[in-house]
Structures are given as structure tokens and as C-alpha cells.
Amino acid sequence: MIHPGEFLTRDDPRADPFGERLRPAICMSRQVLGGRFRFESDSIALLELVEAAYGCLPAHRFPGLSPEFHVELRLVPRTAGSALTEPPPVRTQGGKGLLCGVVDACNYVLLVPAQRRGLVVVSEDMLAFPYHVRYELIEFAVFLLASRVLNLVPLHGACIGKDGLGVLLLGASGAGKSTLALHALLAGMQMLAEDSVFVHAESLLATGVANFLHVKSDTLRFVDDPAAREWIEQAPVIRRRSGVVKHEADLRGRAGLAAPAPLRIVAAVFVTDEPGDATRGLLDSIPWEFAAPMLADDQPYGSGQVGWDRFVQKIVRAGVYRLRRGAHPRDAIRALAPLFDCARGAG
């Protein structure tokens, strides 16, 4: 409260209770998911996390679309008495054109897609959890802004590609999508994204962030290339909220692994734990009357977004398949190869 006769200076925190006059000292621009993101902050630590996530990525653009986004990253004082072993999960909220993700009172994201703007607030103690800050706060802002402004259908899944064509890998967590993505790379293909894919429904052009590949140690028994094994084994280890521990291998230090431009999706493949056999093989087509509900069940968030119905119409027409597990992951990659060949021939 301001008492009669009391005057406030510009430096008095009561004169700017919302921090609106703060001016970030450093700006960084990165082309991500078809948009130009301008990150502003006075915290080198937060900008280093942006660079770790989006530095040295291929600059994906959609024809005729190149919006600019502004995201402010604000570091606030350490939370009193905090001694967390893991931050609480993000809670989401939205309404009246605003989207919000909240960890606690000092760690949250506020987005205004109509204005292409976002605010990411991080407390100093959260810097001890760079994986969570990067994926659950910074990525939250970037992914939501890009998908809402560019009208992209967000999908939980991976996407591998070749010669400008892409195949979506869908299915439950733990089904083996990351393992297949690794062996696709070892077979000379490229990766568009490992965990989140964003598709323009009308063109079926897809983009993603091909920065890291997450691989469990027990899957390395299938990697015959000593150099590839060493690359993954020397990568940092992260622990996901599910408790799963994986190597986080950076793709950007190895030339040619990331798709250089958006890929045209030619098929969607549900990866399953069901073993294949000599009679049925590994890959079979899913009839259209079953494909649409399977897609909706697999993508509860994406199925509620603008463009979903058109995406389903287009992808069902392109082809939806089921992939069974082979004796070795490279068997599954061989089973997927005809999808690229047929699409290339049809094009």
C-alpha cells in the first residue's frame, strides 16, 4: 500500500509489480517447426537450454508460411525451502485465447497464440533440472505456439524419412518406436522427430525437432556398428517421469541424420509388441473402417484439434498399417521400405 505523501521511484518494485518494465538483455532467433522464434532473456542459463534444444537444427519452412514468434524467458529468485528430487508435473489450463502450463508459483508458461507470444518463468532452483525445463516448459511454449498458429495437427509419435517422404510411427509408449528410429538411421534414412510430429493436414507435410534420440541400454544389443554403439553409450543419461532411463544421443553432431526439410507423409504405421511370423509377415494394412478409430484412440489430444478430420481422411487414403515385431529391428525397417518405394513410384 502507498501511504499519503509517499512517492515511488522507478526502481521500487511496487512501481512495477508485474515486472513489465524488465527488458531482456539478450535475443536469440531460431527457425523451429516452420516458424521463426525470437527468444529473449537476461539469463544465459535459460538461453543455453534453448540452444541445447534448437541450435543447429535444419530450418524447416512450409510453403507460403513463415510466422514470427516472441518468447520471453524469465529467471526468478530461488524458491524458499525447495529441495525437490523431481519437479511436480505440469498442470494445464486455458481459456479466452490464453494457454497456461503450471509447475508451481515460480515455474509456469503463459501463451497467447493469437499474438504469437509466450512467457516462460523459471526459478533458479529449477535449473538443477535442465531436462524438465527444456521439455516441459520451453518445449511446451514452442510446440503449442507453432501448432496453434500454423494449424498443425500435433501427434505423439516418431517419423522417419527418405528422399523427402516420411512414415509416421505410432503406438503406445514402449512399443519400440525409438528403437526403430535408431535402426532407420543406421540403414541410411533420416529422422524428422522421435516423440512429437506436427502435420499440415491438407498437404500432409510434417515437421518436428530432430535434436535427440532416446535409447534404452538394453536395445544396444541389436546395434552391430561399434561406432554407433559408442556414440550412444557415451551420450548423457536421462530419467523420464515414467521412471524409464535412456541415453539421450544428440543427432546434430552427425551429418545427414536429421531431415533437412518437412517430409510428405506417405503412411502411418502402428508399432506393436505382437511378434510376426513367416505366414503373416511383419506389415499388414489396416482397413479404413478400423484405421480412423485407431488413430483417434492413439491420439487423444491431436484428435480434438483443428484439422484432425482432414488429416484422417488424407492419411487413411495414403495408408495405415500395423507393424509386428521381428527377430531383429532391421527386419522391421526392411518391411517398411516398400512404403517409400510405392509412394515414390506413385509420385
Side-chain angles (χ1 to χ4, degrees), residues 239-252:
R239 179 184 297 274
R240 290 186 163 166
R241 288 195 180 274
S242 63
V244 174
V245 175
K246 291 189 174 186
H247 291 281
E248 187 175 63
D250 197 326
L251 299 175
R252 291 162 291 182

Side-chain angles (χ1 to χ4, degrees), residues 100-125:
C100 192
V102 179
V103 174
D104 57 33
C106 296
N107 296 276
Y108 54 88
V109 179
L110 180 62
L111 306 174
V112 188
Q115 296 182 17
R116 304 175 186 176
R117 292 184 176 274
L119 172 66
V120 179
V121 178
V122 180
S123 62
E124 291 174 340
D125 54 311

